[in-house]
Amino acid sequence: MSLTTTTRGPGDPRRRRVLAGGAAALLTGGGALLTGCSDDPGPHDERSSAEERLRARAGRDSAALLERYDATIGAHAALAERLRPLRAEVARHAAALGARASSASGSASPSGPSASVSPGKAGPAVPKDEKAALAALADAERRTADTHTAALASAPPELARLLASVAASGAAHAYLLGGVA
């Protein structure tokens, strides 16, 4: 007595026919998918330009934070060793967000409120006291992290993941700098 039974009748498809039919469907279906491409600008282009603007704004924010690190290290050389690893991470974040080196030199946002505060200064103002300087840097990290977090709602998935990662890192930096609220 045989323990295996076949429920396939003489007219049912064999495995080779099913696989061959699936391959043929993929080949013809793939060609149909490729014909859907066109040069017509549509909603995708609008989303791309919105993503570029969002990425540029986040890059400018990170570049401004990098500038604040440089100013703090310049004003307090004793803090340089402590701040160097955090500054290096902020530099990587700015680069990942597409910030250019020139955007950290004061041309980041000419219409922003910080542009009119110190037109003659080379960088952001740094408190003379080291603890106050660290607190100001922690506050800047927290504000930048909050800005990145707020941008998550309108960011496409890939950029949202990057912004979330950078925001989490910024929150950790604020904690490490002693700026726990």
Side-chain angles (χ1 to χ4, degrees):
M1 176 170 158
S2 172
L3 295 178
T4 59
T5 60
T6 59
T7 57
R8 184 172 14 106
D12 290 338
R14 302 247 187 247
R15 183 172 48 183
R16 287 184 184 167
R17 285 186 186 158
V18 170
L19 291 175
L26 282 176
L27 290 175
T28 58
L33 289 175
L34 290 177
T35 61
C37 299
S38 70
D39 291 336
D40 182 33
H44 177 68
D45 290 339
E46 292 171 13
R47 279 184 261 139
S48 294
S49 64
E51 177 182 357
E52 288 171 10
R53 286 190 307 271
L54 187 60
R55 184 181 287 269
R57 188 175 344 125
R60 285 191 304 268
D61 291 343
S62 291
L65 182 60
L66 183 61
E67 183 178 328
R68 179 165 288 283
Y69 267 94
D70 290 340
T72 303
I73 290 171
H76 300 284
L79 295 175
E81 192 65 32
R82 180 177 177 187
L83 297 178
R84 193 168 289 121
L86 300 178
R87 186 218 176 267
E89 282 192 24
V90 171
R92 284 192 295 270
H93 297 160
L97 290 166
R100 291 186 221 124
S102 63
S103 66
S105 66
S107 64
S109 65
S111 63
S114 62
S116 61
V117 173
S118 57
K121 293 186 180 181
V126 177
K128 293 184 184 204
D129 179 47
E130 284 186 3
K131 284 191 177 194
L134 286 175
L137 194 55
D139 188 48
E141 279 277 12
R142 195 176 306 102
R143 280 193 318 270
T144 304
D146 289 346
T147 301
H148 291 329
T149 302
L152 290 175
S154 60
E158 183 178 343
L159 181 58
R161 285 188 292 272
L162 177 61
L163 288 172
S165 177
V166 170
S169 179
H173 289 181
Y175 175 80
L176 291 172
L177 291 167
V180 179

